[in-house]
Structures are given as C-alpha cells and as structure tokens.
Amino acid sequence: MHLDVLDLRNFYYRTKLGRVAQRAIRDTVVRMWPHAKGQTMAGFGFAAPLMRPYLADARRVIAMMPAPQGVMPWPAGMENVSVLCEEAAWPLTTGIVDKLILMHGLETSEQPSAVLEEASRVLGPGGRALFVVPSRSGLWARRDVTPFGFGRPYSLGQLEAQLKRHDFTVERSVSALYAPPSGHPFWRRTSEFFERNGRLFSPFISGGVLMVEVSKQARVAPRGGLGAVVRRPLRVLEGMGQGAPEPALRDSSSAGKANGNE
C-alpha cells in the first residue's frame, strides 16, 4: 500500500531525519549518474527529491506519482513537471526515457510486476534504471517512523531475481543510509561519517536501502524455419531414395545378332 504524498513530503522536506535520508540517497545517485545532459529523466513513486540535481541540464524531467499515493506540485518555485498516473499505465511514449529512478514505487505497490513492465516499456535503448528499495537486513526497514518501514523490504538476491524476470540486466548495486534511523542530534551529526565509511562496516552494519542499477535486455524475435543456412551443402547424398534408372531399350537388329538370328 502506497504512503500518502503529504506524509512523504513532510518527511523528506520538513523533518531533520528526512533531510539526512534525502541527502544520503541523492548523493549516491549523483555519484552513480554524474550528469544527464540532453537526456530524458523520469521518476516513479516519490523520486522527486533525487532528481533535482538534473533539472538544469536534462532535456526533460518528469516525476510520475501513482494514483494511490497522490501527487504534489514539483519542483517548488519552478514550472511543474509532476504528474499523477496509474501504476500500470504510465503517460510516456515507449522507449523515450534515458534514465529512470524508482523510489517508494515498487515495494509499496500491490502490482509490482505491472510496475516493472511499465519501467521496461518506457526505457529506451541504452537507457538505465535505478531501483531504490528498503533493505531487508537494514535498520530503516524495522522502524515505521520513516517511509522505508512500509511495504516489502528486499534482500539483494530477491530484488535482482525479480528484475531479471522482467528482462533487466543488473549492472551494479550499492547500499546507502548506514546511519541509524534516529533523530537524535548525535546520529544526525555523524550521519556523513557513516555514509562515507559504511562499506567498511559491512557485514556488521547494513545500509538502510538497496540501490540497483539495471539496463534493459533486447529481445530477439524468433525466426521461423532453419536457423542456419548451409553455404556449401554436401552433394554426396543427393539422389538417395530415388528409383534406379532402367536400362535403355536395345533395337531389334542388335538383339538378333546377339542371339545368332541374322
């Protein structure tokens, strides 16, 4: 079940813990995708906070928000680029997207397969998608004071298997949100330290979210008939199975000489 868009907005933009989470995930996204100049970028769920760094250079930025969640104008103080849509019917042309981000769009969906089908449909040749989901082994999925405590958390194996079933190729995966999900001033002050050194703590400390980057596999249409053409076929077996040729009829004079009847 999707969270309400007002709850998501208040968490990411109105709370100190939400701003810590937004900064940690967004910085990781920017490290993975330094730019999107001249490209079309789309987000589904509540990916808007992660796409702001690309507004200046991207050819187009679209924030799609599912109907059960609701929609809000975004970005503030600029021309609105957010749109309300159905989970299984995104208002985008097939193959138009170069970069796609999903956050709070997959784990909270009641029809995740339809969401993945739409993600595959709108992603163009050479495009990349980034899925941001709660980690099953992380602390953030165990507390419902944040949006990552709702929906279905994933392990890396579970998420990769689901993506592969929908013809995505996993390119790389990282974790983020190593700081505890606490609003205590100490943890907020040390959050950047945890993010910088989070991988060194593994496997003792797991990140709160998994971030998996994928590309789309190209399906090859099956061909009818023999798949390979023999360029130099063997002639040895030609004629097998046919009747043996009958001898030519001899004329009567020759037959007579052969029998002594000249």
Side-chain angles (χ1 to χ4, degrees), residues 4 6-7 10 14 43 62 79-81 99 115 130 138 155 159 167 173 202-203 212 217-218 234 238-240 254-255:
D4 189 270
L6 296 180
D7 294 330
N10 290 337
R14 307 284 174 83
I62 305 165
E79 184 178 354
N80 178 61
V81 298
K99 284 184 168 62
V115 171
L130 185 62
S155 67
L159 180 57
D167 296 326
S173 60
S202 299
V212 178
Q217 294 179 5
L234 295 175
E238 288 188 357
M240 291 189 64
S254 298

Side-chain angles (χ1 to χ4, degrees), residues 115-185:
V115 171
L116 292 175
E117 287 294 332
E118 282 297 275
S120 178
R121 181 185 67 81
V122 303
L123 201 63
R128 297 293 178 99
L130 185 62
F131 293 86
V132 183
V133 299
S135 172
R136 181 175 295 276
S137 58
L139 295 176
W140 289 71
R142 305 176 190 180
R143 298 197 60 194
D144 57 6
V145 297
T146 79
F148 297 103
F150 295 85
R152 298 179 301 275
Y154 285 86
S155 67
L156 182 59
Q158 290 171 335
L159 180 57
E160 289 184 347
Q162 189 169 5
L163 294 174
K164 289 176 181 177
R165 284 197 297 270
H166 288 80
D167 296 326
F168 287 110
T169 299
V170 176
E171 301 293 343
R172 55 178 166 168
S173 60
V174 299
S175 296
L177 283 185
Y178 285 94
S182 171
H184 192 280

